[in-house]
Amino acid sequence: QVSVTMAEDQCDHRKLTRHEDAEVIVVGAGVLGNAMAISLARDGRSVMLIERDWSQPDRIVGELLQPGGFKVLQKLGLEGSLDDTDCHHTHGYVVHNCETGQKVDLLYPSDDITGVPCEGRAFHHGRFITGLRRLSREEKLIQPVHGTVTSLLYEDDVVRGVKCRVKGDDDVTEFHAPLTVVADGCFSNLRKSLVATKVESRSQFAGLVMHNCPQTRPHFAEVILANPAPVLVYQISSTSTRVLVDVPGQKMPADSKEYLRNKVAPQLPDHIRGPFLDALSTQSVRSMPNSFLAPAPILKHGVIILGDAFNMRHPLTGAGMSVALHDVHFWKHELQGIADLHDTERILAVQQSFHWQRKMSHSFVTNTLAQALYALFAAADDGDMKSLRRACFEYFCLGGDCTAGPISLLSILQPSPWTLIYHYIRVCLYGVYLDTAELPWWKRAAAPWIALRLAAASCRVMLPLAFSELHFTRR
């Protein structure tokens, strides 16, 4: 209650014009929208939070929060959103190689200060969002609105708010604020007017929920390197386990159940196959496109676009929510230094800084790692990429720094671009060694040719991703 009183006192110093409804309008009450609205309200900002559907969402993704993301959730004071969700603690990954029957454990690193192993969280997506919305409703400076935003409201090329169709009202209502935050998700209808880059989708996730499914190792998510693409398995409550099957292509197969039953199920580990087939026989197969959207700076006055509306990567690594929370943490800190949000030039300067700072702090690694790992793990028909996939798995099996480095990136605890590049090069070199070691001694003079082939395959993956991160596209 003390923080709310202080917030209201602070709000008196930020006078709105008579036409403005709030200091900030946030479009979308998902993970980022709620986190942003709560953070700004706790700093004394009046916030209008607009959402088209306030019922509990039901999605098959957005259910795994990496340790780096969970730490930021705690820094933002939002860990209470997980109360009563029956969330599951995660300690790392078990990676299965279907071709060889091998498996390797990737354990999250320990905290540098306490020495306690770091943990992530897995949960039903809808329960987490409901928890965040509960925290939003507790903030007196947040005004929730049930409606659909149809467009941004411009005045002299400056965004001054939104046009919204409020539920139960046939007319379009205009809401005004000096700053608008667009966070309306992967299917954003406002993105087109702000973002120059295009959404790409190379595959779909087919999702089911398995009940009372055993785990290879308690509290460990599982990645199954199947053919033609990986399968992701993780427990989301005390009795429910999510399974996500990557299906390459723009569309799901005509008979998705037959595909999953005949193509995927035979490759699954024994302890998963039974619960998988049970779920397949009783549930409808739900799908979600796996999209990639490279981040580009949106240098327009009066508006910020964040979350999946701004930047997406393949969900294989479970990085999306962690990226969103890191971005909220950045903006919360920066906006604390701007008393008057009508100062659009200062906010624009922060946007330019944000675009590059987030790359070094988290986004370059999370975006590049997700896309690169998917390219390796879904290498069904490319011989060189299959060599790199094998090298990646065998590299993990070496242990030591070969495990600790990659899992520090995957967990988003130490997302250094240089660490990513270092291990990516080492995997490539290890692939050359493995392919050369299999040759008879009289053929090993071909090692330079193998090195060139694998280096070219690595560059085909990494260079376009690096370019998409570093290319400066204005809109």
Side-chain angles (χ1 to χ4, degrees):
Q1 295 300 324
V2 174
S3 62
V4 170
T5 303
M6 289 176 62
E8 289 170 346
D9 289 344
Q10 292 172 352
C11 197
D12 290 340
H13 299 291
R14 303 185 181 90
K15 299 297 184 182
L16 303 175
T17 69
R18 61 176 181 166
H19 299 295
E20 291 175 335
D21 302 281
E23 286 186 89
V24 183
I25 293 174
V26 177
V27 182
V31 175
L32 189 140
N34 278 290
M36 178 68 87
I38 295 167
S39 297
L40 295 178
R42 289 177 179 175
D43 284 341
R45 307 282 188 187
S46 58
V47 181
M48 176 178 286
L49 180 59
I50 305 175
E51 169 60 37
R52 64 179 180 82
D53 185 0
W54 286 94
S55 63
Q56 180 167 296
D58 184 15
R59 298 181 63 194
I60 65 171
V61 294
E63 297 179 317
L64 182 62
L65 184 62
Q66 295 288 2
F70 181 63
K71 282 197 168 188
V72 179
L73 189 77
Q74 292 175 308
K75 287 180 181 178
L76 294 171
L78 301 176
E79 65 271 29
S81 58
L82 292 172
D83 293 347
D84 303 320
T85 61
D86 191 23
C87 65
H88 195 69
H89 295 216
T90 58
H91 299 165
Y93 286 86
V94 177
V95 183
H96 299 265
N97 188 335
C98 290
E99 291 184 356
T100 64
Q102 295 173 285
K103 61 179 184 290
V104 61
D105 296 347
L106 303 179
L107 180 66
Y108 289 144
S110 297
D111 186 90
D112 292 336
I113 300 175
T114 65
V116 177
C118 295
E119 294 183 342
R121 294 292 187 273
F123 37 72
H124 285 275
H125 175 82
R127 295 178 187 175
F128 178 45
I129 296 299
T130 298
L132 286 170
R133 290 175 178 176
R134 172 176 48 80
L135 296 184
S136 291
R137 288 195 300 270
E138 292 173 0
E139 296 296 329
K140 294 182 179 180
L141 292 178
I142 295 178
Q143 177 188 354
V145 174
H146 194 166
T148 300
V149 173
T150 57
S151 64
L152 298 173
L153 190 61
Y154 286 89
E155 181 182 308
D156 298 328
D157 205 34
V158 177
V159 175
R160 297 297 188 186
V162 299
K163 294 181 179 180
C164 178
R165 195 176 300 278
V166 178
K167 186 175 181 181
D169 189 348
D170 293 334
D171 296 329
V172 173
T173 304
E174 294 185 354
F175 293 119
H176 298 79
L179 180 63
T180 299
V181 178
V182 174
D184 54 344
C186 58
F187 301 114
S188 170
N189 67 341
L190 301 178
R191 178 194 295 129
K192 209 176 287 185
S193 65
L194 296 171
V195 177
T197 47
K198 303 296 183 183
V199 178
E200 303 171 11
S201 180
R202 292 175 48 194
S203 68
Q204 312 277 320
F205 257 158
L208 296 166
V209 174
M210 303 183 294
H211 296 289
N212 300 311
C213 178
Q215 293 180 288
T216 299
R217 185 171 176 181
H219 298 286
F220 276 66
E222 303 187 49
V223 179
I224 301 157
L225 303 185
N227 181 25
V231 178
L232 184 59
V233 179
Y234 50 92
Q235 194 167 339
I236 56 176
S237 73
S238 54
T239 60
S240 300
T241 298
R242 173 66 69 190
V243 56
L244 295 170
V245 178
D246 188 271
V247 181
Q250 298 289 329
K251 296 181 179 180
M252 291 288 291
D255 190 339
S256 57
K257 285 199 172 187
E258 180 182 7
Y259 175 87
L260 296 176
R261 184 180 295 108
N262 298 332
K263 180 71 174 178
V264 178
Q267 301 182 67
L268 299 178
D270 293 340
H271 69 284
I272 294 175
R273 188 180 305 116
F276 178 81
L277 290 172
D278 289 343
L280 192 59
S281 66
T282 59
Q283 299 172 26
S284 298
V285 178
R286 302 178 59 196
S287 65
M288 183 81 178
N290 295 325
S291 301
F292 174 68
L293 176 63
I298 313 302
L299 303 182
K300 285 197 173 184
H301 292 284
V303 63
I304 305 168
I305 182 169
L306 296 171
D308 284 352
F310 168 61
N311 179 207
M312 291 184 280
R313 78 288 311 148
H314 196 286
L316 175 66
T317 56
M321 292 185 293
S322 298
V323 170
L325 292 170
H326 273 88
D327 289 349
V328 169
H329 189 264
F330 173 91
W331 278 103
K332 172 184 169 64
H333 178 266
E334 292 299 322
L335 290 177
Q336 284 173 342
I338 303 176
D340 185 1
L341 297 184
H342 294 92
D343 191 348
T344 56
E345 290 298 332
R346 286 190 65 187
I347 294 174
L348 203 64
V350 173
Q351 289 199 59
Q352 291 178 295
S353 173
F354 165 70
H355 179 70
W356 295 107
Q357 285 192 39
R358 76 189 294 267
K359 293 185 184 303
M360 298 307 296
S361 68
H362 59 279
S363 77
F364 180 90
V365 166
T366 53
N367 292 335
T368 306
L369 182 65
Q371 298 302 118
L373 279 180
Y374 178 71
L376 295 186
F377 291 170
D381 302 319
D382 188 317
D384 292 336
M385 292 300 293
K386 288 184 73 173
S387 292
L388 289 173
R389 179 171 77 168
R390 181 183 71 154
C392 182
F393 181 83
E394 295 293 343
Y395 186 79
F396 293 157
C397 292
L398 294 175
D401 186 50
C402 299
T403 298
I407 196 63
S408 71
L409 299 171
L410 187 63
S411 62
I412 321 181
L413 289 168
Q414 297 174 355
S416 163
W418 309 117
T419 302
L420 172 62
I421 294 168
Y422 168 72
H423 286 284
Y424 195 80
I425 292 172
R426 289 185 68 181
V427 166
C428 182
L429 293 174
Y430 194 52
V432 175
Y433 165 77
L434 291 175
D435 280 9
T436 303
E438 289 182 339
L439 298 174
W441 65 269
W442 64 86
K443 291 185 178 180
R444 292 183 181 174
W449 170 243
I450 294 174
L452 284 173
R453 281 190 4 246
L454 295 189
S458 299
C459 290
R460 286 201 308 270
V461 174
M462 185 62 77
L463 292 183
L465 293 173
F467 179 77
S468 70
E469 283 293 310
L470 301 177
H471 182 53
F472 195 95
T473 305
R474 290 176 181 264
R475 180 66 183 259

